[in-house]
């Protein structure tokens, strides 16, 4: 495996100097953040990111994400233009040495929580999702934690309205339409596409979601068989769905060569069926058996990119929710241990 760390580019408050000090760190996972969704990324921006990483001895082989324009997801008339731009971005990232691209196909919101600073018993805080709090949200006046800056109320209401006419089947067909055009280019330039699962893995506000479980994945892989049509196995996202058997999924999709990128984090299922809290990475702290998941991956040939996913705010840090330094660094060390053990006992 190659251990990586998400880095929000030159404006990230966490310096590359710190990232490279994390044991076994091979590279950064990043993106061009100052170009509107759907437009082409300047090659110079990619080169700058790469150069900054390389100067610190870090690789830049994973992009998270090249976002997919909503018009592609909705299958609108102008989607071909946005798909052409997407393809151009794939060619450009390949040109600077990127090997893997993480993306998602979730309408409007690519993650959702009801609290950004949930206070844990040990004094740390983390992201959480409570079904009771979710029920209190008024979909006609949406102010969601972490999303208020991304959309104006008007934009949001307009988008939600447009999606009312889009079924799960429509969204799936639009995904296939997109992949049928993008994957052949990935095959040509050597890019592995790694779709990120729905987070959490169920529909929200009546918006359809189609990457939530094993059936969804099988359907998608059958429709576009190239192995470059692959997956980001995000344990926290799939794991919030209590019917998802993560060890089984790890085994099955590692064996099939579909897992190109791994987001490792643990969550704790709380009272209600749909509620969960983000916790430290260790198995003991949450509801997922991280050691078994990693063992299943390694035993079945997984050899892709891994990153510690969301961490808590600990040691007095007030980091970007989920993306502070300390707990992700602790997570990285734990991940190193799990992999070393699994690889030596293969
Ligand atoms: C949140 C992330 C997501 C992820 C996208 C991938 O912390 O896991 O925003 O980057 O869904 O496209």
């Amino acid at each position: 495996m190659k251990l990586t760390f998400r880095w929000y580019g030159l404006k990230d408050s966490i310096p590359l100097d710190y990232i490279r000090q994390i044991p076994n760190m091979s590279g950064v996972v990043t993106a061009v953040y100052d170009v509107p969704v759907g437009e082409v990324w300047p090659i110079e921006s990619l080169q700058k990111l790469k150069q900054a990483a390389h100067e610190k001895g870090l690789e830049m082989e994973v992009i998270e994400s090249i976002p997919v324009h909503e018009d592609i997801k909705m299958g609108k008339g102008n989607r071909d233009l946005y798909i052409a731009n997407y393809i151009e971005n794939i060619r450009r990232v390949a040109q600077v040495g990127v090997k893997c691209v993480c993306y998602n196909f979730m309408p409007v919101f690519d993650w959702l929580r009801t609290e950004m600073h949930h206070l844990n018993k040990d004094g740390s805080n983390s992201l959480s999702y409570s079904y009771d709090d979710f029920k209190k949200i008024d979909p006609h006046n949406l102010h969601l934690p972490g999303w208020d800056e991304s959309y104006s109320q008007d934009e949001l209401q307009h988008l939600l309205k447009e999606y009312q006419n889009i079924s799960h089947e429509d969204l799936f067909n639009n995904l296939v339409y997109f992949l049928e055009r993008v994957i052949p280019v990935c095959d040509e330039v050597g890019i592995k596409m790694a779709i990120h699962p729905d987070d959490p893995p169920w529909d929200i506000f009546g918006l359809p979601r189609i990457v939530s479980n094993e059936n969804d994945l099988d359907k998608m892989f059958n429709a576009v068989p190239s192995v470059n049509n692959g997956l980001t196995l995000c344990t926290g996202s799939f794991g919030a769905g209590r019917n998802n058997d993560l060890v089984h999924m790890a085994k099955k999709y590692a064996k099939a060569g579909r897992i190109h990128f791994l987001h490792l984090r643990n969550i704790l299922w709380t009272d209600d069926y749909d509620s969960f809290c983000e916790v430290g990475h260790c198995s003991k702290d949450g509801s997922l058996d991280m050691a078994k998941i990693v063992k299943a991956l390694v035993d079945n040939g997984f050899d892709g990119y891994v990153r510690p996913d969301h961490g808590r705010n600990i040691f007095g840090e007030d980091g970007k929710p989920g993306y502070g330094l300390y707990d992700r660094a602790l997570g990285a060390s734990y991940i190193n241990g799990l992999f070393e053990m699994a690889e030596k006992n293969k």
Side-chain angles (χ1 to χ4, degrees), residues 211-276:
V211 191
S212 295
N213 54 46
E214 203 181 326
N215 282 345
D216 291 348
L217 292 174
D218 289 344
K219 203 170 154 192
M220 171 185 158
F221 296 145
N222 286 337
V224 182
S226 162
V227 286
N228 288 324
N229 175 25
L231 173 66
T232 297
L233 186 81
C234 175
T235 56
S237 300
F238 279 126
R242 299 187 194 188
N243 293 326
N244 284 331
D245 178 346
L246 265 293
V247 176
H248 165 75
M249 290 167 82
K251 197 172 170 179
K252 173 171 167 177
Y253 297 114
K255 203 178 238 169
R258 294 279 175 187
I259 304 175
H260 304 317
F261 191 23
L262 191 56
H263 285 181
L264 281 180
R265 66 181 161 92
N266 204 349
I267 49 154
L268 179 69
W269 299 329
T270 48
D271 312 344
D272 311 294
Y273 182 75
D274 271 348
S275 303
F276 60 90

Side-chain angles (χ1 to χ4, degrees), residues 6-303:
R6 193 169 197 184
W7 174 62
Y8 284 95
L10 299 158
K11 289 189 180 146
D12 195 321
S13 61
I14 300 170
L16 290 169
D17 272 324
Y18 289 4
I19 297 177
R20 73 162 159 179
Q21 289 170 355
I22 298 169
N24 193 34
M25 193 48 66
S26 78
V28 292
V29 172
T30 192
V32 172
Y33 293 102
D34 56 0
V35 171
V37 175
E39 289 181 21
V40 174
W41 290 356
I43 193 86
E44 300 75 31
S45 305
L46 286 165
Q47 278 157 347
K48 255 191 207 157
L49 289 167
K50 180 181 172 175
Q51 194 192 336
H54 278 207
E55 273 168 13
K56 302 294 175 182
L58 293 162
E59 295 171 339
M60 190 187 82
E61 296 188 342
V62 185
I63 293 293
E64 176 177 352
S65 311
I66 304 181
V68 178
H69 196 277
E70 296 298 326
D71 289 359
I72 298 179
K73 298 179 206 165
M74 288 192 273
K76 281 201 177 170
N78 53 351
R79 68 176 151 179
D80 288 335
L81 178 100
Y82 288 119
I83 291 176
N85 287 353
Y86 203 96
I87 287 173
E88 180 56 26
N89 280 334
I90 292 285
R91 291 191 184 281
R92 289 184 182 201
V93 301
Q95 208 180 313
V96 298
V98 168
K99 310 274 184 249
C100 176
V101 170
C102 174
Y103 71 105
N104 74 79
F105 219 74
M106 287 173 255
V108 194
F109 305 107
D110 87 9
W111 56 271
L112 185 77
R113 298 292 182 272
T114 55
E115 217 185 317
M116 306 291 276
H117 295 97
H118 177 82
L119 187 60
N120 300 310
K121 276 192 202 130
D122 62 3
S124 65
N125 66 72
S126 52
L127 298 152
S128 71
Y129 179 95
S130 140
Y131 180 60
D132 283 340
D133 290 344
F134 177 75
K135 275 190 303 193
K136 290 181 204 144
I137 297 173
D138 174 5
H140 302 294
N141 184 24
L142 274 185
H143 291 285
L144 295 172
W147 282 103
D148 266 359
E149 287 159 19
S150 305
Y151 299 105
S152 72
Q153 267 312 305
D154 282 354
E155 273 168 354
L156 204 49
Q157 291 310 326
H158 181 70
L159 265 175
L160 292 177
K161 203 162 172 210
E162 282 192 293
Y163 269 106
Q164 277 175 2
N165 303 319
I166 293 175
S167 66
H168 290 82
E169 205 51 36
D170 294 332
L171 186 63
F172 176 75
N173 291 336
N174 296 340
L175 171 61
V176 173
Y177 183 95
F178 167 74
L179 290 173
E180 278 173 344
R181 282 150 187 83
V182 169
I183 294 292
V185 179
C186 295
D187 294 342
E188 181 195 322
V189 299
I191 289 282
K192 293 173 165 40
M193 289 294 278
I195 198 165
H196 190 285
D198 304 328
D199 180 12
W202 50 77
D203 295 353
I204 49 163
F205 308 122
L207 294 165
R209 285 181 150 192
I210 53 166
V211 191
S212 295
N213 54 46
E214 203 181 326
N215 282 345
D216 291 348
L217 292 174
D218 289 344
K219 203 170 154 192
M220 171 185 158
F221 296 145
N222 286 337
V224 182
S226 162
V227 286
N228 288 324
N229 175 25
L231 173 66
T232 297
L233 186 81
C234 175
T235 56
S237 300
F238 279 126
R242 299 187 194 188
N243 293 326
N244 284 331
D245 178 346
L246 265 293
V247 176
H248 165 75
M249 290 167 82
K251 197 172 170 179
K252 173 171 167 177
Y253 297 114
K255 203 178 238 169
R258 294 279 175 187
I259 304 175
H260 304 317
F261 191 23
L262 191 56
H263 285 181
L264 281 180
R265 66 181 161 92
N266 204 349
I267 49 154
L268 179 69
W269 299 329
T270 48
D271 312 344
D272 311 294
Y273 182 75
D274 271 348
S275 303
F276 60 90
C277 184
E278 297 190 0
V279 292
H281 287 70
C282 290
S283 307
K284 222 178 155 187
D285 291 329
S287 303
L288 308 180
D289 191 326
M290 307 303 281
K292 269 198 186 159
I293 294 169
V294 169
K295 180 97 179 82
L297 288 161
V298 169
D299 286 350
N300 290 284
F302 171 79
D303 192 25

